[in-house]
Amino acid sequence: MLTIANRLKSALDSIQDFAQNAKRHPSEIRLLAVSKTKPNDAIKEAWKAGQRMFGENYVQEGIQKVQSLSELSDIEWHFIGPLQSNKTKQVAEHFDWVQSIEREKIAERLSQQRPEAKAPLQVCIQVNISDEENKSGVAPNAVFALAETIHALPNLTLRGLMAIPANTESKAEQKQAFQAMHDLYKRLQATYPQVDTLSIGMSGDMQSAIECGSTMVRVGTAIFGPREANSARQ
Ligand SMILES: *Cc1c(COP(=O)(O)O)cnc(C)c1O
């Protein structure tokens, strides 16, 4: 039976292979292990195997994990799900990163509510790159206005962009969306030199994302197996 440690290793091996095929250095691509719906023990197992960055989508579930796994040193928690304004305080207090910023009001609240004693919250703007209805993220042409707001906020550091393109098996379509993200990312970086994160690629489209310049892949299923159906989602 494949353990989480085995699957983590094979995800890292894939990143290495895809990077080398794309003539990139594997160290340019970080792996975020997406642990939503998975129990604390699964996260501990990945941590013991060397993984340090974990992503969560649901506020309540995420906070519970952050608190109960606080003994795991060097762990870094990324919030990657939809965020409503009545939940920003909890996220500002417990997470290290928020990758799903799509509104000025949310950014402002996160900055206000970030505890003084903590480092600035590291943030990415989520982009609705495939222009899907009912999909999270800002339109590409709204990225720069939001970036300007974030840049002016004292307790946030703008690190880059995140996207979940329309689901497709077609490599050509995957790469079209990822290439558009890479172009936006390069333009953002030209204005804000601290920008170093292009968060694209998941279990099913990691190769295309790495070929198009991803610096962070967010991988759930390939590490932890299929999602649990009935976890608390709030
Ligand atoms: C669930 C999720 C992932 C991981 O998806 P997999 O296909 O399981 O790898 C990545 N990013 C976001 C924003 C997610 O919600």
Side-chain angles (χ1 to χ4, degrees):
M1 206 189 85
L2 283 178
T3 63
I4 287 173
N6 294 148
R7 288 190 296 225
L8 180 62
K9 167 130 194 341
S10 87
L12 289 165
D13 288 347
S14 300
I15 291 172
Q16 182 155 351
D17 291 346
F18 296 151
Q20 277 163 357
N21 288 341
K23 307 220 165 9
R24 300 183 58 200
H25 199 279
S27 68
E28 291 170 22
I29 302 138
R30 286 169 290 163
L31 172 61
L32 181 71
V34 178
S35 44
K36 64 187 181 207
T37 82
K38 296 297 170 183
N40 290 345
D41 283 350
I43 296 172
K44 275 189 200 158
E45 204 178 322
W47 183 88
K48 282 194 191 124
Q51 178 64 25
R52 292 294 178 269
M53 294 162 49
F54 293 88
E56 288 286 334
N57 283 59
Y58 310 104
V59 176
Q60 220 53 47
E61 179 189 336
I63 305 285
Q64 275 167 14
K65 291 175 183 175
V66 173
Q67 288 178 326
S68 52
L69 295 169
S70 62
E71 82 278 9
L72 303 183
S73 56
D74 297 330
I75 199 164
E76 187 177 278
W77 291 100
H78 292 230
F79 189 77
I80 60 173
L83 182 52
Q84 256 120 46
S85 41
N86 62 348
K87 302 267 172 67
T88 50
K89 187 160 187 284
Q90 287 170 287
V91 170
E93 288 174 352
H94 291 97
F95 280 82
D96 303 297
W97 284 61
V98 176
Q99 296 198 15
S100 43
I101 306 271
E102 53 177 347
R103 286 196 284 147
E104 293 192 354
K105 183 180 168 199
I106 297 290
E108 283 159 0
R109 289 176 66 90
L110 287 170
S111 182
Q112 272 162 15
Q113 294 165 339
R114 183 69 171 170
E116 287 292 327
K118 295 210 166 189
L121 194 59
Q122 309 297 300
V123 305
C124 292
I125 295 171
Q126 184 171 354
V127 184
N128 183 0
I129 196 65
S130 305
D131 192 22
E132 292 173 280
E133 260 180 69
N134 307 320
K135 193 70 166 274
S136 299
V138 299
N141 65 11
V143 164
F144 279 81
L146 184 52
E148 204 177 317
T149 300
I150 292 170
H151 187 66
L153 292 169
N155 299 320
L156 302 188
T157 301
L158 179 64
R159 295 294 293 271
L161 301 175
M162 185 271 263
I164 314 169
N167 192 9
T168 167
E169 298 283 305
S170 153
K171 283 240 152 69
E173 284 173 28
Q174 290 172 1
K175 289 182 74 167
Q176 195 177 17
F178 288 145
Q179 196 57 53
M181 283 300 297
H182 187 248
D183 293 348
L184 260 181
Y185 169 68
K186 283 291 174 192
R187 284 172 48 210
L188 192 67
Q189 207 170 37
T191 310
Y192 304 103
Q194 83 279 9
V195 162
D196 62 358
T197 302
L198 178 57
S199 175
I200 51 174
M202 317 201 293
S203 297
D205 55 12
M206 211 162 72
Q207 179 166 18
S208 298
I210 290 172
E211 287 171 7
C212 295
S214 171
T215 72
M216 192 187 293
V217 290
R218 308 179 309 270
V219 179
T221 315
I223 296 172
F224 295 109
R227 236 94 65 197
E228 317 295 331
N230 54 359
S231 88
R233 305 197 157 185
Q234 19 192 329

